Amino acid sequence: MLEKLDFSAILAIDPGPHISGYVEYDCASQKPTTSGLMPNPKLRKLLKKSKFPAMVYEKLQGMGMMPSKETFATCEEDGRMMECFQGEIIPVTRHEVKLLICGTMRAKDANIRAAIIDMYGGKEDGIGNKKSQGPLYGVKSHAWQALALVKALERKAHDDRVAGNREASG
């Protein structure tokens, strides 16, 4: 595992145009406590009531091509969610996730998921099964990308601390 974040807990969101993946993450135990998919209007209500000290979300970035209508809708949802949240908001790009988790820009979702599972001791220990559930049991779909945001943030905090940059590690 990497160094713990300087928050008690953090909410991670992989935004989508209509439904978003989320993970509620306990920074002390370095494990997700809740995860899933949620319609954006319901997620915004959760964000308004949230007691989380911080939220990390996937910040969209230009890729050199004309964005789709879906991308613009996701950007609008990002803004709505940020308006609802009262704590610290931390943007992390997809490029940062790929580099921090897998060390390469060529990483795909499956590579990122596999790297996260490896962080928790492999599939048997990390995910487990219904009888013997691991800390990642139940993480599905876009919640994996939300979890990747937190794990990338941990890696960045670790790298910043190793480099002696306490202020940037956050």
PDB file of all heavy atoms in Angstrom, residues 73-114:
ATOM      1  N   ALA A  73     -22.031  17.079 -21.947  1.00  0.00           N
ATOM      2  CA  ALA A  73     -23.004  16.812 -20.872  1.00  0.00           C
ATOM      3  C   ALA A  73     -22.281  16.410 -19.588  1.00  0.00           C
ATOM      4  O   ALA A  73     -22.670  16.820 -18.488  1.00  0.00           O
ATOM      5  CB  ALA A  73     -23.989  15.728 -21.304  1.00  0.00           C
ATOM      6  N   THR A  74     -21.206  15.636 -19.709  1.00  0.00           N
ATOM      7  CA  THR A  74     -20.419  15.239 -18.544  1.00  0.00           C
ATOM      8  C   THR A  74     -19.752  16.458 -17.912  1.00  0.00           C
ATOM      9  O   THR A  74     -19.721  16.586 -16.688  1.00  0.00           O
ATOM     10  CB  THR A  74     -19.374  14.171 -18.933  1.00  0.00           C
ATOM     11  OG1 THR A  74     -20.054  13.033 -19.477  1.00  0.00           O
ATOM     12  CG2 THR A  74     -18.553  13.739 -17.735  1.00  0.00           C
ATOM     13  N   CYS A  75     -19.239  17.366 -18.733  1.00  0.00           N
ATOM     14  CA  CYS A  75     -18.646  18.611 -18.214  1.00  0.00           C
ATOM     15  C   CYS A  75     -19.673  19.413 -17.425  1.00  0.00           C
ATOM     16  O   CYS A  75     -19.366  19.957 -16.355  1.00  0.00           O
ATOM     17  CB  CYS A  75     -18.109  19.474 -19.351  1.00  0.00           C
ATOM     18  SG  CYS A  75     -16.596  18.870 -20.090  1.00  0.00           S
ATOM     19  N   GLU A  76     -20.885  19.494 -17.942  1.00  0.00           N
ATOM     20  CA  GLU A  76     -21.954  20.218 -17.236  1.00  0.00           C
ATOM     21  C   GLU A  76     -22.245  19.550 -15.892  1.00  0.00           C
ATOM     22  O   GLU A  76     -22.427  20.232 -14.879  1.00  0.00           O
ATOM     23  CB  GLU A  76     -23.209  20.272 -18.091  1.00  0.00           C
ATOM     24  CG  GLU A  76     -23.058  21.161 -19.309  1.00  0.00           C
ATOM     25  CD  GLU A  76     -24.191  21.022 -20.305  1.00  0.00           C
ATOM     26  OE1 GLU A  76     -25.116  20.192 -20.097  1.00  0.00           O
ATOM     27  OE2 GLU A  76     -24.160  21.745 -21.313  1.00  0.00           O
ATOM     28  N   GLU A  77     -22.272  18.226 -15.880  1.00  0.00           N
ATOM     29  CA  GLU A  77     -22.515  17.500 -14.628  1.00  0.00           C
ATOM     30  C   GLU A  77     -21.385  17.730 -13.630  1.00  0.00           C
ATOM     31  O   GLU A  77     -21.629  17.879 -12.437  1.00  0.00           O
ATOM     32  CB  GLU A  77     -22.696  16.000 -14.888  1.00  0.00           C
ATOM     33  CG  GLU A  77     -24.042  15.644 -15.451  1.00  0.00           C
ATOM     34  CD  GLU A  77     -25.204  16.026 -14.553  1.00  0.00           C
ATOM     35  OE1 GLU A  77     -25.091  15.969 -13.302  1.00  0.00           O
ATOM     36  OE2 GLU A  77     -26.250  16.384 -15.100  1.00  0.00           O
ATOM     37  N   ASP A  78     -20.145  17.773 -14.126  1.00  0.00           N
ATOM     38  CA  ASP A  78     -18.996  18.085 -13.253  1.00  0.00           C
ATOM     39  C   ASP A  78     -19.247  19.389 -12.507  1.00  0.00           C
ATOM     40  O   ASP A  78     -19.075  19.478 -11.289  1.00  0.00           O
ATOM     41  CB  ASP A  78     -17.708  18.255 -14.078  1.00  0.00           C
ATOM     42  CG  ASP A  78     -17.039  16.946 -14.427  1.00  0.00           C
ATOM     43  OD1 ASP A  78     -17.469  15.898 -13.930  1.00  0.00           O
ATOM     44  OD2 ASP A  78     -16.068  17.000 -15.203  1.00  0.00           O
ATOM     45  N   GLY A  79     -19.635  20.409 -13.255  1.00  0.00           N
ATOM     46  CA  GLY A  79     -19.878  21.716 -12.658  1.00  0.00           C
ATOM     47  C   GLY A  79     -21.000  21.680 -11.630  1.00  0.00           C
ATOM     48  O   GLY A  79     -20.880  22.272 -10.548  1.00  0.00           O
ATOM     49  N   ARG A  80     -22.071  20.996 -11.948  1.00  0.00           N
ATOM     50  CA  ARG A  80     -23.193  20.884 -11.005  1.00  0.00           C
ATOM     51  C   ARG A  80     -22.753  20.193  -9.722  1.00  0.00           C
ATOM     52  O   ARG A  80     -23.117  20.613  -8.621  1.00  0.00           O
ATOM     53  CB  ARG A  80     -24.345  20.122 -11.652  1.00  0.00           C
ATOM     54  CG  ARG A  80     -25.055  20.877 -12.736  1.00  0.00           C
ATOM     55  CD  ARG A  80     -26.240  20.074 -13.269  1.00  0.00           C
ATOM     56  NE  ARG A  80     -26.805  20.750 -14.412  1.00  0.00           N
ATOM     57  CZ  ARG A  80     -26.819  20.260 -15.644  1.00  0.00           C
ATOM     58  NH1 ARG A  80     -26.330  19.054 -15.895  1.00  0.00           N
ATOM     59  NH2 ARG A  80     -27.345  20.945 -16.634  1.00  0.00           N
ATOM     60  N   MET A  81     -21.975  19.129  -9.875  1.00  0.00           N
ATOM     61  CA  MET A  81     -21.518  18.383  -8.696  1.00  0.00           C
ATOM     62  C   MET A  81     -20.589  19.239  -7.833  1.00  0.00           C
ATOM     63  O   MET A  81     -20.697  19.230  -6.610  1.00  0.00           O
ATOM     64  CB  MET A  81     -20.819  17.095  -9.124  1.00  0.00           C
ATOM     65  CG  MET A  81     -21.758  16.048  -9.656  1.00  0.00           C
ATOM     66  SD  MET A  81     -20.842  14.575 -10.140  1.00  0.00           S
ATOM     67  CE  MET A  81     -21.988  13.850 -11.295  1.00  0.00           C
ATOM     68  N   MET A  82     -19.693  19.966  -8.469  1.00  0.00           N
ATOM     69  CA  MET A  82     -18.766  20.813  -7.718  1.00  0.00           C
ATOM     70  C   MET A  82     -19.506  21.901  -6.951  1.00  0.00           C
ATOM     71  O   MET A  82     -19.129  22.249  -5.835  1.00  0.00           O
ATOM     72  CB  MET A  82     -17.709  21.410  -8.640  1.00  0.00           C
ATOM     73  CG  MET A  82     -16.650  20.401  -9.034  1.00  0.00           C
ATOM     74  SD  MET A  82     -15.333  21.148  -9.976  1.00  0.00           S
ATOM     75  CE  MET A  82     -15.866  20.786 -11.632  1.00  0.00           C
ATOM     76  N   GLU A  83     -20.571  22.440  -7.538  1.00  0.00           N
ATOM     77  CA  GLU A  83     -21.371  23.451  -6.849  1.00  0.00           C
ATOM     78  C   GLU A  83     -22.031  22.876  -5.595  1.00  0.00           C
ATOM     79  O   GLU A  83     -22.219  23.591  -4.621  1.00  0.00           O
ATOM     80  CB  GLU A  83     -22.468  23.998  -7.762  1.00  0.00           C
ATOM     81  CG  GLU A  83     -21.999  25.046  -8.718  1.00  0.00           C
ATOM     82  CD  GLU A  83     -23.141  25.647  -9.506  1.00  0.00           C
ATOM     83  OE1 GLU A  83     -24.209  24.992  -9.658  1.00  0.00           O
ATOM     84  OE2 GLU A  83     -22.983  26.783  -9.972  1.00  0.00           O
ATOM     85  N   CYS A  84     -22.369  21.608  -5.626  1.00  0.00           N
ATOM     86  CA  CYS A  84     -23.077  20.972  -4.511  1.00  0.00           C
ATOM     87  C   CYS A  84     -22.152  20.601  -3.359  1.00  0.00           C
ATOM     88  O   CYS A  84     -22.593  20.522  -2.217  1.00  0.00           O
ATOM     89  CB  CYS A  84     -23.784  19.705  -4.995  1.00  0.00           C
ATOM     90  SG  CYS A  84     -25.112  20.023  -6.159  1.00  0.00           S
ATOM     91  N   PHE A  85     -20.882  20.360  -3.634  1.00  0.00           N
ATOM     92  CA  PHE A  85     -19.963  19.832  -2.621  1.00  0.00           C
ATOM     93  C   PHE A  85     -19.336  20.961  -1.814  1.00  0.00           C
ATOM     94  O   PHE A  85     -18.874  21.948  -2.366  1.00  0.00           O
ATOM     95  CB  PHE A  85     -18.878  18.978  -3.288  1.00  0.00           C
ATOM     96  CG  PHE A  85     -18.046  18.217  -2.313  1.00  0.00           C
ATOM     97  CD1 PHE A  85     -18.559  17.127  -1.642  1.00  0.00           C
ATOM     98  CD2 PHE A  85     -16.747  18.613  -2.042  1.00  0.00           C
ATOM     99  CE1 PHE A  85     -17.793  16.429  -0.725  1.00  0.00           C
ATOM    100  CE2 PHE A  85     -15.970  17.922  -1.128  1.00  0.00           C
ATOM    101  CZ  PHE A  85     -16.497  16.827  -0.468  1.00  0.00           C
ATOM    102  N   GLN A  86     -19.295  20.779  -0.500  1.00  0.00           N
ATOM    103  CA  GLN A  86     -18.793  21.824   0.393  1.00  0.00           C
ATOM    104  C   GLN A  86     -17.326  21.649   0.803  1.00  0.00           C
ATOM    105  O   GLN A  86     -16.726  22.565   1.331  1.00  0.00           O
ATOM    106  CB  GLN A  86     -19.649  21.883   1.664  1.00  0.00           C
ATOM    107  CG  GLN A  86     -21.105  22.197   1.386  1.00  0.00           C
ATOM    108  CD  GLN A  86     -21.300  23.509   0.649  1.00  0.00           C
ATOM    109  OE1 GLN A  86     -20.772  24.533   1.065  1.00  0.00           O
ATOM    110  NE2 GLN A  86     -22.035  23.487  -0.451  1.00  0.00           N
ATOM    111  N   GLY A  87     -16.743  20.479   0.596  1.00  0.00           N
ATOM    112  CA  GLY A  87     -15.361  20.229   1.023  1.00  0.00           C
ATOM    113  C   GLY A  87     -14.350  20.580  -0.049  1.00  0.00           C
ATOM    114  O   GLY A  87     -14.649  21.271  -1.028  1.00  0.00           O
ATOM    115  N   GLU A  88     -13.131  20.084   0.145  1.00  0.00           N
ATOM    116  CA  GLU A  88     -12.051  20.303  -0.823  1.00  0.00           C
ATOM    117  C   GLU A  88     -12.305  19.462  -2.069  1.00  0.00           C
ATOM    118  O   GLU A  88     -12.645  18.286  -1.975  1.00  0.00           O
ATOM    119  CB  GLU A  88     -10.709  19.927  -0.198  1.00  0.00           C
ATOM    120  CG  GLU A  88      -9.537  20.218  -1.093  1.00  0.00           C
ATOM    121  CD  GLU A  88      -8.190  19.955  -0.449  1.00  0.00           C
ATOM    122  OE1 GLU A  88      -8.119  19.881   0.795  1.00  0.00           O
ATOM    123  OE2 GLU A  88      -7.212  19.832  -1.192  1.00  0.00           O
ATOM    124  N   ILE A  89     -12.117  20.069  -3.232  1.00  0.00           N
ATOM    125  CA  ILE A  89     -12.340  19.385  -4.508  1.00  0.00           C
ATOM    126  C   ILE A  89     -10.995  19.201  -5.195  1.00  0.00           C
ATOM    127  O   ILE A  89     -10.253  20.165  -5.407  1.00  0.00           O
ATOM    128  CB  ILE A  89     -13.308  20.185  -5.397  1.00  0.00           C
ATOM    129  CG1 ILE A  89     -14.671  20.309  -4.699  1.00  0.00           C
ATOM    130  CG2 ILE A  89     -13.448  19.521  -6.758  1.00  0.00           C
ATOM    131  CD1 ILE A  89     -15.628  21.253  -5.372  1.00  0.00           C
ATOM    132  N   ILE A  90     -10.692  17.941  -5.545  1.00  0.00           N
ATOM    133  CA  ILE A  90      -9.393  17.612  -6.135  1.00  0.00           C
ATOM    134  C   ILE A  90      -9.604  16.990  -7.518  1.00  0.00           C
ATOM    135  O   ILE A  90     -10.115  15.883  -7.630  1.00  0.00           O
ATOM    136  CB  ILE A  90      -8.630  16.618  -5.233  1.00  0.00           C
ATOM    137  CG1 ILE A  90      -8.523  17.170  -3.817  1.00  0.00           C
ATOM    138  CG2 ILE A  90      -7.262  16.310  -5.825  1.00  0.00           C
ATOM    139  CD1 ILE A  90      -8.151  16.134  -2.781  1.00  0.00           C
ATOM    140  N   PRO A  91      -9.195  17.686  -8.574  1.00  0.00           N
ATOM    141  CA  PRO A  91      -9.311  17.116  -9.919  1.00  0.00           C
ATOM    142  C   PRO A  91      -8.113  16.227 -10.241  1.00  0.00           C
ATOM    143  O   PRO A  91      -6.977  16.553  -9.896  1.00  0.00           O
ATOM    144  CB  PRO A  91      -9.325  18.348 -10.822  1.00  0.00           C
ATOM    145  CG  PRO A  91      -8.551  19.375 -10.063  1.00  0.00           C
ATOM    146  CD  PRO A  91      -8.755  19.083  -8.602  1.00  0.00           C
ATOM    147  N   VAL A  92      -8.373  15.107 -10.890  1.00  0.00           N
ATOM    148  CA  VAL A  92      -7.320  14.213 -11.371  1.00  0.00           C
ATOM    149  C   VAL A  92      -7.697  13.823 -12.795  1.00  0.00           C
ATOM    150  O   VAL A  92      -8.832  13.407 -13.046  1.00  0.00           O
ATOM    151  CB  VAL A  92      -7.182  12.946 -10.483  1.00  0.00           C
ATOM    152  CG1 VAL A  92      -6.168  11.985 -11.062  1.00  0.00           C
ATOM    153  CG2 VAL A  92      -6.822  13.316  -9.058  1.00  0.00           C
ATOM    154  N   THR A  93      -6.783  13.959 -13.729  1.00  0.00           N
ATOM    155  CA  THR A  93      -7.083  13.623 -15.124  1.00  0.00           C
ATOM    156  C   THR A  93      -6.868  12.131 -15.374  1.00  0.00           C
ATOM    157  O   THR A  93      -6.185  11.443 -14.622  1.00  0.00           O
ATOM    158  CB  THR A  93      -6.192  14.418 -16.096  1.00  0.00           C
ATOM    159  OG1 THR A  93      -4.836  13.999 -15.920  1.00  0.00           O
ATOM    160  CG2 THR A  93      -6.327  15.919 -15.887  1.00  0.00           C
ATOM    161  N   ARG A  94      -7.430  11.659 -16.451  1.00  0.00           N
ATOM    162  CA  ARG A  94      -7.258  10.256 -16.852  1.00  0.00           C
ATOM    163  C   ARG A  94      -5.787   9.965 -17.133  1.00  0.00           C
ATOM    164  O   ARG A  94      -5.287   8.890 -16.802  1.00  0.00           O
ATOM    165  CB  ARG A  94      -8.105   9.980 -18.089  1.00  0.00           C
ATOM    166  CG  ARG A  94      -8.178   8.529 -18.445  1.00  0.00           C
ATOM    167  CD  ARG A  94      -9.120   7.847 -17.504  1.00  0.00           C
ATOM    168  NE  ARG A  94      -9.209   6.444 -17.840  1.00  0.00           N
ATOM    169  CZ  ARG A  94      -9.384   5.494 -16.946  1.00  0.00           C
ATOM    170  NH1 ARG A  94      -9.513   5.799 -15.688  1.00  0.00           N
ATOM    171  NH2 ARG A  94      -9.463   4.252 -17.305  1.00  0.00           N
ATOM    172  N   HIS A  95      -5.098  10.915 -17.730  1.00  0.00           N
ATOM    173  CA  HIS A  95      -3.665  10.732 -18.002  1.00  0.00           C
ATOM    174  C   HIS A  95      -2.901  10.523 -16.700  1.00  0.00           C
ATOM    175  O   HIS A  95      -2.019   9.654 -16.631  1.00  0.00           O
ATOM    176  CB  HIS A  95      -3.081  11.931 -18.751  1.00  0.00           C
ATOM    177  CG  HIS A  95      -3.498  12.010 -20.180  1.00  0.00           C
ATOM    178  ND1 HIS A  95      -3.484  13.182 -20.888  1.00  0.00           N
ATOM    179  CD2 HIS A  95      -3.945  11.063 -21.043  1.00  0.00           C
ATOM    180  CE1 HIS A  95      -3.898  12.955 -22.127  1.00  0.00           C
ATOM    181  NE2 HIS A  95      -4.194  11.690 -22.234  1.00  0.00           N
ATOM    182  N   GLU A  96      -3.211  11.307 -15.679  1.00  0.00           N
ATOM    183  CA  GLU A  96      -2.544  11.146 -14.385  1.00  0.00           C
ATOM    184  C   GLU A  96      -2.819   9.770 -13.800  1.00  0.00           C
ATOM    185  O   GLU A  96      -1.910   9.123 -13.265  1.00  0.00           O
ATOM    186  CB  GLU A  96      -3.006  12.231 -13.405  1.00  0.00           C
ATOM    187  CG  GLU A  96      -2.511  13.609 -13.742  1.00  0.00           C
ATOM    188  CD  GLU A  96      -3.102  14.681 -12.855  1.00  0.00           C
ATOM    189  OE1 GLU A  96      -4.346  14.741 -12.728  1.00  0.00           O
ATOM    190  OE2 GLU A  96      -2.310  15.457 -12.281  1.00  0.00           O
ATOM    191  N   VAL A  97      -4.059   9.308 -13.899  1.00  0.00           N
ATOM    192  CA  VAL A  97      -4.408   7.972 -13.382  1.00  0.00           C
ATOM    193  C   VAL A  97      -3.570   6.909 -14.074  1.00  0.00           C
ATOM    194  O   VAL A  97      -2.969   6.053 -13.423  1.00  0.00           O
ATOM    195  CB  VAL A  97      -5.913   7.679 -13.552  1.00  0.00           C
ATOM    196  CG1 VAL A  97      -6.231   6.215 -13.269  1.00  0.00           C
ATOM    197  CG2 VAL A  97      -6.746   8.587 -12.653  1.00  0.00           C
ATOM    198  N   LYS A  98      -3.517   6.950 -15.399  1.00  0.00           N
ATOM    199  CA  LYS A  98      -2.761   5.952 -16.156  1.00  0.00           C
ATOM    200  C   LYS A  98      -1.284   5.941 -15.751  1.00  0.00           C
ATOM    201  O   LYS A  98      -0.705   4.881 -15.528  1.00  0.00           O
ATOM    202  CB  LYS A  98      -2.880   6.215 -17.660  1.00  0.00           C
ATOM    203  CG  LYS A  98      -4.247   5.908 -18.220  1.00  0.00           C
ATOM    204  CD  LYS A  98      -4.282   6.237 -19.702  1.00  0.00           C
ATOM    205  CE  LYS A  98      -5.616   5.865 -20.312  1.00  0.00           C
ATOM    206  NZ  LYS A  98      -5.615   6.013 -21.764  1.00  0.00           N
ATOM    207  N   LEU A  99      -0.695   7.135 -15.662  1.00  0.00           N
ATOM    208  CA  LEU A  99       0.728   7.217 -15.321  1.00  0.00           C
ATOM    209  C   LEU A  99       0.997   6.826 -13.869  1.00  0.00           C
ATOM    210  O   LEU A  99       1.960   6.111 -13.584  1.00  0.00           O
ATOM    211  CB  LEU A  99       1.262   8.622 -15.594  1.00  0.00           C
ATOM    212  CG  LEU A  99       1.410   8.987 -17.067  1.00  0.00           C
ATOM    213  CD1 LEU A  99       1.774  10.465 -17.215  1.00  0.00           C
ATOM    214  CD2 LEU A  99       2.442   8.113 -17.750  1.00  0.00           C
ATOM    215  N   LEU A 100       0.165   7.281 -12.954  1.00  0.00           N
ATOM    216  CA  LEU A 100       0.403   7.014 -11.534  1.00  0.00           C
ATOM    217  C   LEU A 100       0.095   5.569 -11.137  1.00  0.00           C
ATOM    218  O   LEU A 100       0.774   4.998 -10.286  1.00  0.00           O
ATOM    219  CB  LEU A 100      -0.408   7.985 -10.667  1.00  0.00           C
ATOM    220  CG  LEU A 100       0.091   9.431 -10.700  1.00  0.00           C
ATOM    221  CD1 LEU A 100      -0.968  10.376 -10.159  1.00  0.00           C
ATOM    222  CD2 LEU A 100       1.388   9.569  -9.917  1.00  0.00           C
ATOM    223  N   ILE A 101      -0.900   4.967 -11.747  1.00  0.00           N
ATOM    224  CA  ILE A 101      -1.287   3.592 -11.394  1.00  0.00           C
ATOM    225  C   ILE A 101      -0.482   2.568 -12.189  1.00  0.00           C
ATOM    226  O   ILE A 101      -0.006   1.580 -11.640  1.00  0.00           O
ATOM    227  CB  ILE A 101      -2.799   3.358 -11.618  1.00  0.00           C
ATOM    228  CG1 ILE A 101      -3.639   4.308 -10.768  1.00  0.00           C
ATOM    229  CG2 ILE A 101      -3.180   1.904 -11.354  1.00  0.00           C
ATOM    230  CD1 ILE A 101      -3.618   4.063  -9.301  1.00  0.00           C
ATOM    231  N   CYS A 102      -0.337   2.798 -13.492  1.00  0.00           N
ATOM    232  CA  CYS A 102       0.295   1.801 -14.361  1.00  0.00           C
ATOM    233  C   CYS A 102       1.654   2.212 -14.917  1.00  0.00           C
ATOM    234  O   CYS A 102       2.360   1.382 -15.474  1.00  0.00           O
ATOM    235  CB  CYS A 102      -0.639   1.456 -15.527  1.00  0.00           C
ATOM    236  SG  CYS A 102      -2.180   0.697 -15.001  1.00  0.00           S
ATOM    237  N   GLY A 103       1.993   3.485 -14.824  1.00  0.00           N
ATOM    238  CA  GLY A 103       3.286   3.932 -15.323  1.00  0.00           C
ATOM    239  C   GLY A 103       3.369   4.095 -16.822  1.00  0.00           C
ATOM    240  O   GLY A 103       4.446   4.274 -17.373  1.00  0.00           O
ATOM    241  N   THR A 104       2.216   4.050 -17.509  1.00  0.00           N
ATOM    242  CA  THR A 104       2.208   4.206 -18.960  1.00  0.00           C
ATOM    243  C   THR A 104       0.896   4.824 -19.412  1.00  0.00           C
ATOM    244  O   THR A 104      -0.160   4.556 -18.842  1.00  0.00           O
ATOM    245  CB  THR A 104       2.421   2.866 -19.688  1.00  0.00           C
ATOM    246  OG1 THR A 104       2.337   3.090 -21.104  1.00  0.00           O
ATOM    247  CG2 THR A 104       1.400   1.822 -19.293  1.00  0.00           C
ATOM    248  N   MET A 105       0.976   5.625 -20.460  1.00  0.00           N
ATOM    249  CA  MET A 105      -0.218   6.235 -21.049  1.00  0.00           C
ATOM    250  C   MET A 105      -1.018   5.223 -21.861  1.00  0.00           C
ATOM    251  O   MET A 105      -2.156   5.480 -22.215  1.00  0.00           O
ATOM    252  CB  MET A 105       0.185   7.404 -21.952  1.00  0.00           C
ATOM    253  CG  MET A 105       0.654   8.617 -21.192  1.00  0.00           C
ATOM    254  SD  MET A 105      -0.624   9.290 -20.142  1.00  0.00           S
ATOM    255  CE  MET A 105      -1.839   9.714 -21.366  1.00  0.00           C
ATOM    256  N   ARG A 106      -0.432   4.082 -22.149  1.00  0.00           N
ATOM    257  CA  ARG A 106      -1.118   3.066 -22.957  1.00  0.00           C
ATOM    258  C   ARG A 106      -2.076   2.201 -22.140  1.00  0.00           C
ATOM    259  O   ARG A 106      -2.770   1.359 -22.692  1.00  0.00           O
ATOM    260  CB  ARG A 106      -0.092   2.180 -23.648  1.00  0.00           C
ATOM    261  CG  ARG A 106       0.694   2.928 -24.682  1.00  0.00           C
ATOM    262  CD  ARG A 106       1.648   2.026 -25.396  1.00  0.00           C
ATOM    263  NE  ARG A 106       2.386   2.788 -26.403  1.00  0.00           N
ATOM    264  CZ  ARG A 106       3.170   2.252 -27.282  1.00  0.00           C
ATOM    265  NH1 ARG A 106       3.361   0.960 -27.295  1.00  0.00           N
ATOM    266  NH2 ARG A 106       3.788   3.008 -28.158  1.00  0.00           N
ATOM    267  N   ALA A 107      -2.105   2.402 -20.838  1.00  0.00           N
ATOM    268  CA  ALA A 107      -2.953   1.589 -19.965  1.00  0.00           C
ATOM    269  C   ALA A 107      -4.426   1.761 -20.323  1.00  0.00           C
ATOM    270  O   ALA A 107      -4.880   2.851 -20.656  1.00  0.00           O
ATOM    271  CB  ALA A 107      -2.726   1.974 -18.508  1.00  0.00           C
ATOM    272  N   LYS A 108      -5.144   0.666 -20.263  1.00  0.00           N
ATOM    273  CA  LYS A 108      -6.596   0.647 -20.487  1.00  0.00           C
ATOM    274  C   LYS A 108      -7.274   0.393 -19.147  1.00  0.00           C
ATOM    275  O   LYS A 108      -6.625   0.091 -18.142  1.00  0.00           O
ATOM    276  CB  LYS A 108      -6.960  -0.469 -21.484  1.00  0.00           C
ATOM    277  CG  LYS A 108      -6.241  -0.375 -22.813  1.00  0.00           C
ATOM    278  CD  LYS A 108      -6.780   0.768 -23.631  1.00  0.00           C
ATOM    279  CE  LYS A 108      -6.135   0.787 -25.005  1.00  0.00           C
ATOM    280  NZ  LYS A 108      -5.934   2.095 -25.515  1.00  0.00           N
ATOM    281  N   ASP A 109      -8.599   0.474 -19.132  1.00  0.00           N
ATOM    282  CA  ASP A 109      -9.352   0.248 -17.898  1.00  0.00           C
ATOM    283  C   ASP A 109      -9.001  -1.097 -17.253  1.00  0.00           C
ATOM    284  O   ASP A 109      -8.858  -1.185 -16.038  1.00  0.00           O
ATOM    285  CB  ASP A 109     -10.855   0.308 -18.159  1.00  0.00           C
ATOM    286  CG  ASP A 109     -11.354   1.730 -18.393  1.00  0.00           C
ATOM    287  OD1 ASP A 109     -10.586   2.689 -18.155  1.00  0.00           O
ATOM    288  OD2 ASP A 109     -12.515   1.882 -18.813  1.00  0.00           O
ATOM    289  N   ALA A 110      -8.865  -2.132 -18.068  1.00  0.00           N
ATOM    290  CA  ALA A 110      -8.552  -3.466 -17.531  1.00  0.00           C
ATOM    291  C   ALA A 110      -7.182  -3.484 -16.849  1.00  0.00           C
ATOM    292  O   ALA A 110      -7.014  -4.137 -15.812  1.00  0.00           O
ATOM    293  CB  ALA A 110      -8.606  -4.514 -18.641  1.00  0.00           C
ATOM    294  N   ASN A 111      -6.216  -2.755 -17.408  1.00  0.00           N
ATOM    295  CA  ASN A 111      -4.882  -2.676 -16.795  1.00  0.00           C
ATOM    296  C   ASN A 111      -4.942  -1.956 -15.453  1.00  0.00           C
ATOM    297  O   ASN A 111      -4.293  -2.361 -14.488  1.00  0.00           O
ATOM    298  CB  ASN A 111      -3.899  -1.944 -17.706  1.00  0.00           C
ATOM    299  CG  ASN A 111      -3.797  -2.551 -19.080  1.00  0.00           C
ATOM    300  OD1 ASN A 111      -4.194  -1.919 -20.054  1.00  0.00           O
ATOM    301  ND2 ASN A 111      -3.288  -3.761 -19.188  1.00  0.00           N
ATOM    302  N   ILE A 112      -5.705  -0.888 -15.405  1.00  0.00           N
ATOM    303  CA  ILE A 112      -5.841  -0.107 -14.173  1.00  0.00           C
ATOM    304  C   ILE A 112      -6.529  -0.946 -13.101  1.00  0.00           C
ATOM    305  O   ILE A 112      -6.081  -1.003 -11.959  1.00  0.00           O
ATOM    306  CB  ILE A 112      -6.598   1.205 -14.451  1.00  0.00           C
ATOM    307  CG1 ILE A 112      -5.754   2.103 -15.369  1.00  0.00           C
ATOM    308  CG2 ILE A 112      -6.961   1.922 -13.150  1.00  0.00           C
ATOM    309  CD1 ILE A 112      -6.510   3.275 -15.959  1.00  0.00           C
ATOM    310  N   ARG A 113      -7.598  -1.630 -13.486  1.00  0.00           N
ATOM    311  CA  ARG A 113      -8.318  -2.505 -12.544  1.00  0.00           C
ATOM    312  C   ARG A 113      -7.381  -3.586 -12.011  1.00  0.00           C
ATOM    313  O   ARG A 113      -7.329  -3.835 -10.797  1.00  0.00           O
ATOM    314  CB  ARG A 113      -9.525  -3.130 -13.235  1.00  0.00           C
ATOM    315  CG  ARG A 113     -10.351  -4.038 -12.348  1.00  0.00           C
ATOM    316  CD  ARG A 113     -11.539  -4.617 -13.147  1.00  0.00           C
ATOM    317  NE  ARG A 113     -12.354  -5.469 -12.351  1.00  0.00           N
ATOM    318  CZ  ARG A 113     -12.156  -6.776 -12.180  1.00  0.00           C
ATOM    319  NH1 ARG A 113     -11.128  -7.367 -12.789  1.00  0.00           N
ATOM    320  NH2 ARG A 113     -12.960  -7.499 -11.430  1.00  0.00           N
ATOM    321  N   ALA A 114      -6.624  -4.222 -12.887  1.00  0.00           N
ATOM    322  CA  ALA A 114      -5.685  -5.275 -12.471  1.00  0.00           C
ATOM    323  C   ALA A 114      -4.627  -4.727 -11.522  1.00  0.00           C
ATOM    324  O   ALA A 114      -4.271  -5.375 -10.530  1.00  0.00           O
ATOM    325  CB  ALA A 114      -5.033  -5.911 -13.694  1.00  0.00           C
TER     326      ALA A 114
END
